[in-house]
């Protein structure tokens, strides 16, 4: 039987998002104990297939699976047969032979995780596919806001900068809107998605001063690796002059987020990146418990239901 996957935020409704955030809260309590390991996924296998660079997502998914007592295999593009030209389809088919319960996949191509679901019955968790989606990032961002700022319903979140190439923004917009937030996009016209108002249900502005209206300012990385010839902005220096988020451009009380990695002095000033009032370190820390909650949500509950069903069947047969 094909297992559930998480490819995009549209795979989750508001109730499912709230359930994952509640589970993350429970794991936060577990993480405060001396023994941080729980037996929940004992006997399950998680394959982390990261074919594009990552620090935060790969580390926290690995640690999350280990804290849940799963068997964990980590594969990166460098050092695997991907370097010899093996296709994603053949890589999935090969790894599938070892019977994983879930593939956690990061890939540079939009749709890579969807493709993977066609070649395995295991769960597929999208850890970032090109400029498409990064749902675990959106969930950890929602969790961070709920814990550090308060209820999301009615909050105004402004995404600033390179929205056009950002999977963080695409998943974040969907997640924040699903939970009742007002979302606006601020950036140069060349870095805002085409007809974003109608397509995404957001407000847009090209004036950096409009971030002042937001409760939360979500700064996006300039994704130079996805810009081709880089013609969307005249130069990084000019971009920074007009759109870098600095203390001077904020009003008191606004909270600042960034998914990382940060280009200091481009989209975010070094002083703001180091300001403990920003939520950046909390985002990274919360990634662990939220990814534990996502793995739990995909794997543990059906397993518990299945073992309960087995127990009932055994009792009925006795
Ligand atoms: N935010 C994020 O996805 O970071 P990494 O690329 O380091 O995983």
């Amino acid at each position: 039987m094909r297992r559930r996957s998480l490819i995009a935020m549209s795979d989750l409704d508001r109730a499912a998002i709230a359930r994952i955030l509640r589970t993350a809260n429970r794991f936060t309590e577990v993480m405060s104990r001396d023994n941080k390991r729980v037996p929940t996924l004992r006997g399950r296998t998680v394959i982390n297939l990261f074919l594009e660079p990552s620090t935060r997502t790969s580390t926290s998914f690995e640690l999350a699976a280990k804290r849940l007592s799963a068997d964990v295999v980590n594969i990166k593009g460098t050092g695997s047969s991907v370097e010899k030209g093996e296709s994603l389809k053949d890589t999935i088919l090969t790894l599938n032979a070892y019977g994983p319960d879930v593939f956690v996949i990061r890939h540079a191509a939009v749709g890579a995780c969807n493709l993977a679901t066609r070649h395995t019955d295991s769960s597929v968790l999208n850890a970032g596919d090109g400029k498409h989606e990064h749902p675990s990032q959106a969930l950890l961002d929602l969790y961070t806001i709920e814990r550090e700022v308060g209820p999301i319903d009615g909050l105004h979140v402004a995404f600033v900068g390179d929205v056009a190439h950002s999977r963080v923004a695409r998943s974040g917009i969907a997640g924040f809107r699903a939970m009742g937030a007002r979302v606006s996009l601020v950036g140069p016209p060349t870095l805002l998605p085409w007809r974003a108002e109608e397509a995404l249900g957001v407000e847009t502005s090209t004036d950096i001063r409009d971030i002042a209206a937001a409760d939360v300012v979500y700064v996006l990385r300039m994704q130079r690796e996805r810009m081709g010839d880089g013609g969307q902005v005249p130069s990084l220096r000019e971009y920074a002059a007009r759109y870098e988020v600095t203390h001077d451009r904020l009003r008191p009380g606004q909270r600042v987020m960034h998914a990382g990695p940060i280009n200091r002095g481009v989209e975010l000033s070094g002083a703001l990146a180091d300001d403990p009032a920003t939520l950046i370190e909390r985002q990274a820390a919360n990634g662990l418990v939220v990814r534990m909650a996502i793995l739990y949500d995909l794997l543990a509950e059906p397993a518990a239901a299945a073992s309960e069903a087995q127990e009932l069947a055994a009792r009925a047969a006795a």
Side-chain angles (χ1 to χ4, degrees):
M1 198 178 75
R2 184 178 289 282
R3 291 211 175 92
R4 282 190 305 138
S5 289
L6 176 56
I7 309 296
M9 285 304 282
S10 57
D11 294 330
L12 302 171
D13 60 14
R14 186 173 179 148
I17 294 172
R19 182 179 69 234
I20 292 170
L21 302 189
R22 275 198 308 275
T23 307
N25 245 331
R26 292 213 303 274
F27 284 129
T28 296
E29 286 164 27
V30 172
M31 290 304 106
S32 65
R33 298 184 200 149
D34 284 344
N35 181 3
K36 298 180 175 14
R37 200 174 280 259
V38 290
T40 318
L41 296 187
R42 189 172 287 152
R44 302 303 194 98
T45 302
V46 175
I47 295 188
N48 293 319
L49 180 60
F50 277 70
L51 303 180
E52 200 195 41
S54 168
T55 299
R56 282 146 280 264
T57 313
S58 57
T59 307
S60 54
F61 263 123
E62 179 180 349
L63 211 43
K66 286 178 172 168
R67 294 268 163 93
L68 292 168
S69 303
D71 295 326
V72 186
V73 180
N74 298 308
I75 299 169
K76 301 208 184 291
T78 310
S80 75
S81 288
V82 171
E83 277 194 311
K84 300 179 200 162
E86 187 164 63
S87 68
L88 179 62
K89 173 181 168 179
D90 286 333
T91 301
I92 295 292
L93 288 172
T94 303
L95 296 172
N96 202 46
Y98 305 120
D101 294 281
V102 58
F103 285 98
V104 179
I105 300 178
R106 167 158 301 185
H107 200 285
V110 171
C113 296
N114 269 316
L115 185 146
T117 61
R118 296 208 285 275
H119 302 294
T120 178
D121 288 336
S122 310
S123 292
V124 175
L125 240 165
N126 183 357
D129 62 332
K131 61 179 184 178
H132 176 222
E133 287 244 15
H134 194 352
S136 65
Q137 180 70 47
L139 289 165
L140 77 87
D141 291 336
L142 293 170
Y143 184 70
T144 301
I145 291 288
E146 270 199 355
R147 281 188 76 85
E148 309 291 336
V149 179
I152 297 162
D153 207 332
L155 209 70
H156 180 182
V157 181
F159 285 89
V160 185
D162 182 5
V163 186
H165 301 101
S166 176
R167 57 196 178 205
V168 168
R170 210 164 310 280
S171 291
I173 292 165
F176 278 114
R177 290 196 67 237
M179 299 307 280
R182 172 184 162 198
V183 176
S184 57
L185 312 180
V186 180
T190 48
L191 293 178
L192 295 180
W194 174 246
R195 302 179 77 168
E197 293 89 346
E198 304 99 270
L200 302 171
V202 296
E203 302 150 49
T204 62
S205 168
T206 57
D207 187 340
I208 189 67
R209 288 173 296 187
D210 286 338
I211 63 173
D215 302 298
V216 174
V217 177
Y218 200 120
V219 185
L220 298 169
R221 181 172 69 83
M222 283 293 274
Q223 288 141 96
R224 284 171 280 185
E225 75 277 20
R226 300 198 183 102
M227 286 188 186
D229 62 6
Q232 289 94 342
V233 291
S235 69
L236 290 180
R237 182 186 291 226
E238 186 157 332
Y239 174 84
R242 296 192 57 177
Y243 290 102
E244 181 186 8
V245 177
T246 62
H247 281 103
D248 290 345
R249 285 178 165 154
L250 295 173
R251 63 172 172 74
Q254 284 183 299
R255 305 307 298 270
V256 173
M257 302 180 87
H258 192 303
I262 298 166
N263 295 305
R264 287 170 180 253
V266 179
E267 72 265 2
L268 185 68
S269 71
L272 201 45
D274 292 332
D275 187 333
T278 70
L279 296 170
I280 299 166
E281 279 183 27
R282 295 313 310 153
Q283 290 171 266
N286 289 333
L288 173 57
V289 288
V290 170
R291 288 176 171 126
M292 288 174 78
I294 295 168
L295 289 168
Y296 177 88
D297 202 69
L298 281 181
L299 298 182
E301 285 174 332
S307 81
E308 269 169 30
Q310 264 177 358
E311 200 181 319
L312 284 174
R315 272 198 224 157

